[in-house]
């Protein structure tokens, strides 16, 4: 990853330089935090449309820290605690509190709706970081929260 002073853009690329992304974030940002990245793939290995823009977060935060949208870090215990820590208030965004009824037993699986149906389990996760992608194996590793 490097900053191209001539074109005033950040660029990150694969080892063979055929797949790359650019961001027009300011040099001083060190491209940390949530930024727009425009993706390009000369071989179309990623099966993306060239010029697709996505929001990606690059972080130097530790595993037990939350990455604010501006790239700053705070202890994860302050995430969704009702007190704004991040200057951009991103630590208090998308916070959903779960209300657990007193009858809930975490050691029992919910029964199916009928004996003929399987129990549907719905799970929602927020991906906070893509760690690696192995395209040929169809495997990716991410950091996530529930």
């Amino acid at each position: 990853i490097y900053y191209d002073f001539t074109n005033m853009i950040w660029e990150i690329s694969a080892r063979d330089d055929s797949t790359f992304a650019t961001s027009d974030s300011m040099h001083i940002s060190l491209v940390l935090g949530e930024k727009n990245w425009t993706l390009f793939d000369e071989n179309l290995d990623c099966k993306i449309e060239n010029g697709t823009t996505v929001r990606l977060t690059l972080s130097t935060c530790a595993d037990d820290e939350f990455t604010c949208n501006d790239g700053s870090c705070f202890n994860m215990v302050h995430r969704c605690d009702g007190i704004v820590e991040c200057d951009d208030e991103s630590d208090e965004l998308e916070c959903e509190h779960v209300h657990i009824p007193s009858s809930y037993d975490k050691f029992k699986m919910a029964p199916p709706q009928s004996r003929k149906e399987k129990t549907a389990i719905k799970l929602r996760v927020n991906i906070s970081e893509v760690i690696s992608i192995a395209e040929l194996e169809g495997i990716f590793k991410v950091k996530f929260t529930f």
Side-chain angles (χ1 to χ4, degrees), residues 55-97:
R55 300 275 298 163
L56 297 176
T57 301
L58 298 181
S59 174
T60 60
C61 301
D63 287 344
D64 62 345
E65 292 180 314
F66 174 75
T67 303
C68 302
N69 287 349
D70 66 5
S72 56
C73 306
F74 286 96
N75 192 304
M76 191 62 78
V77 299
H78 298 300
R79 169 87 166 103
C80 294
D81 64 356
I83 301 169
V84 174
E85 301 290 336
C86 301
D87 289 340
D88 59 20
E89 300 182 11
S90 57
D91 61 312
E92 298 303 320
L93 297 176
E94 298 182 24
C95 297
E96 295 180 27
H97 297 282

Side-chain angles (χ1 to χ4, degrees), residues 34-63:
E34 187 175 310
K35 307 287 187 223
N36 283 329
W37 286 87
T38 304
L39 307 175
F40 301 94
D41 183 13
E42 293 174 4
N43 300 326
L44 297 177
D45 292 334
C46 294
K47 296 179 177 52
I48 59 164
E49 186 175 325
N50 280 322
T52 299
T53 299
V54 297
R55 300 275 298 163
L56 297 176
T57 301
L58 298 181
S59 174
T60 60
C61 301
D63 287 344

Side-chain angles (χ1 to χ4, degrees), residues 79-144:
R79 169 87 166 103
C80 294
D81 64 356
I83 301 169
V84 174
E85 301 290 336
C86 301
D87 289 340
D88 59 20
E89 300 182 11
S90 57
D91 61 312
E92 298 303 320
L93 297 176
E94 298 182 24
C95 297
E96 295 180 27
H97 297 282
V98 177
H99 299 285
I100 301 172
S102 59
S103 62
Y104 175 73
D105 183 350
K106 67 180 179 180
F107 297 108
K108 289 185 180 178
M109 186 171 168
Q113 297 294 332
S114 74
R115 296 201 181 274
K116 295 178 183 177
E117 296 178 17
K118 294 182 180 180
T119 301
I121 299 175
K122 296 180 181 178
L123 179 66
R124 178 179 173 197
V125 297
N126 295 315
I127 297 175
S128 59
E129 179 182 349
V130 176
I131 298 169
S132 65
I133 299 174
E135 293 176 51
L136 297 178
E137 294 84 10
I139 298 171
F140 64 94
K141 292 182 182 181
V142 297
K143 286 187 181 180
F144 63 91

